[in-house]
Amino acid sequence: NERVSNYYAYELNNIKSLYKGGRVVSAVSGGIDSTVATYIVMKAIGSNNVIPVLIDHGLFRINEVEESKINLEKAGINPIYIDASEEFLNKLEGITSCEERRKIIGELFAKKLNEVITKENASYLIQGTIYPDVIESGKTKYSQKIKSHHNVGGIPKWFNIDIIEPLRGLYKDEIRELAKIIGIPKEILNRHPFPGPGLAVRIIGKFTNEKLNLLKKADKIVNDVLKAKGIYNNLWQSVVTISESWVGVKGDEREEGYIINVRLVNSDDGMTADYYLPPNNVIDEISNRITNEVKKITAVSFITSTKPPTTIEPC
Ligand code: XMP
């Protein structure tokens, strides 16, 4: 795609001409956006002055941090690891409003990042902002703000640093193409999009650490089954969420447990989406494994709504 390779060439020059020296901090997550953004800047100004940081907010999926470290290393990115999970999870406990959770996460994330910026005396910060984030977070003539994505405008006013946003003009499918052009490892290329605030936006109703831990287990089962059946790589996203509540019987006992909602979607760019329902035997396997293996999950549902009107993440 010519547009993407032209954009890449343009961005390399653009960054070279804007860069006035000093250190550049980059928050990486192991996802495609932050990896490609960091890679481009390293390519433009050399990797010596780029400091990648992986901030662990405790809202990643099972094994995700370990896998991300390995994949990033393959792309030549070796981040400083900061485990801030306890701080994030303590602040989130009991918060019902999802927008408030996004705000808490965005602010604490910025605080943690700022500590690194100050310590390293950095002059620039790389943001993996992509074009749909710009549209969906901004209030335009036509639409109200839909969701406050935490990697956009999430940088508070007190943040006194120049921002480099190499992906600001690209859609997700174009970032995938760019990633292919520059040779990003396939493990990163094939990953599903994952929101900056992580599993916090997949907990419906009150945020509790109990729900988070149940969700992590159910999420792993869903994705393990989808991978084993060869379905995972054909999907845009597999979004597993948890909500209240459904009465179950386990053994002879009545148990008021939680619902796991599985939202599998196909999409080109995340702006619109179709739902995907797996074959019955796969639905059965996912459902049965979750209710059998994850204590306190008493029901599993599959979401059969397109976007619009239903956004991909529940909140
Ligand atoms: P929605 O839920 O708005 O999601 O239909 C569209 C796409 O954006 C992802 N998403 C986010 N990505 N930070 C991100 O980096 C966020 O806060 C965020 N919220 C949603 C979502 O996973 C989907 O691919």
Side-chain angles (χ1 to χ4, degrees), residues 58-269:
L59 302 160
F60 289 112
R61 291 162 293 187
I62 289 177
N63 293 333
E64 198 165 17
V65 169
E66 294 74 12
E67 284 167 14
S68 291
K69 284 184 190 167
I70 294 167
N71 296 339
L72 284 164
E73 207 180 311
K74 287 186 193 159
I77 299 171
N78 294 297
I80 301 171
Y81 174 71
I82 296 173
D83 182 4
S85 49
E86 230 182 275
E87 222 174 308
F88 276 90
L89 299 184
N90 285 341
K91 275 218 159 100
L92 291 170
E93 182 72 24
I95 308 287
T96 300
S97 156
C98 196
E99 280 294 302
E100 194 181 335
R101 282 179 335 224
R102 284 176 173 275
K103 217 172 128 226
I104 291 170
I105 294 165
E107 279 170 10
L108 186 51
F109 196 88
K111 183 175 157 243
K112 290 282 150 194
L113 203 52
N114 201 44
E115 286 170 11
V116 179
I117 290 167
T118 308
K119 187 163 161 248
E120 303 287 344
N121 192 22
S123 315
Y124 297 90
L125 176 66
I126 302 173
Q127 288 266 283
T129 316
I130 74 172
Y131 192 58
D133 300 341
V134 179
I135 308 170
E136 295 208 354
S137 281
K139 209 170 173 176
T140 71
K141 201 161 86 181
Y142 306 104
S143 66
Q144 295 292 322
K145 177 170 127 175
I146 300 174
K147 292 174 186 180
S148 37
H149 285 194
H150 106 241
N151 46 4
V152 187
I155 296 302
K157 291 207 174 55
W158 51 262
F159 237 83
N160 190 18
I161 192 159
D162 287 328
I163 308 287
I164 308 177
E165 290 180 318
L167 308 179
R168 213 182 157 80
L170 295 179
Y171 281 98
K172 197 85 186 183
D173 50 331
E174 297 177 316
I175 294 163
R176 286 233 168 85
E177 266 184 55
L178 180 51
K180 274 184 211 152
I181 294 173
I182 61 188
I184 294 293
K186 68 171 190 322
E187 291 84 351
I188 294 178
L189 206 72
N190 292 337
R191 269 177 51 133
H192 288 171
F194 189 64
L199 296 176
V201 299
R202 296 184 178 173
I203 292 173
I204 299 166
K206 192 185 275 191
F207 183 103
T208 65
N209 277 283
E210 183 195 35
K211 276 160 94 178
L212 176 65
N213 290 327
L214 297 171
L215 174 59
K216 283 183 181 174
K217 287 179 190 155
D219 172 87
K220 183 168 185 337
I221 292 172
V222 173
N223 291 317
D224 283 352
V225 173
L226 294 175
K227 282 174 190 164
K229 304 287 179 194
I231 294 171
Y232 184 87
N233 280 339
N234 297 324
L235 294 172
W236 169 266
Q237 247 174 319
S238 120
V239 174
V240 184
T241 76
I242 186 166
S243 62
E244 272 137 81
S245 65
W246 204 290
V247 172
V249 273
K250 291 201 179 177
D252 284 335
E253 300 287 314
R254 177 189 191 279
E255 179 177 52
E256 188 165 327
Y258 299 100
I259 307 164
I260 289 294
N261 312 281
V262 183
R263 175 146 175 69
L264 308 178
V265 294
N266 288 313
S267 174
D268 291 326
D269 55 13

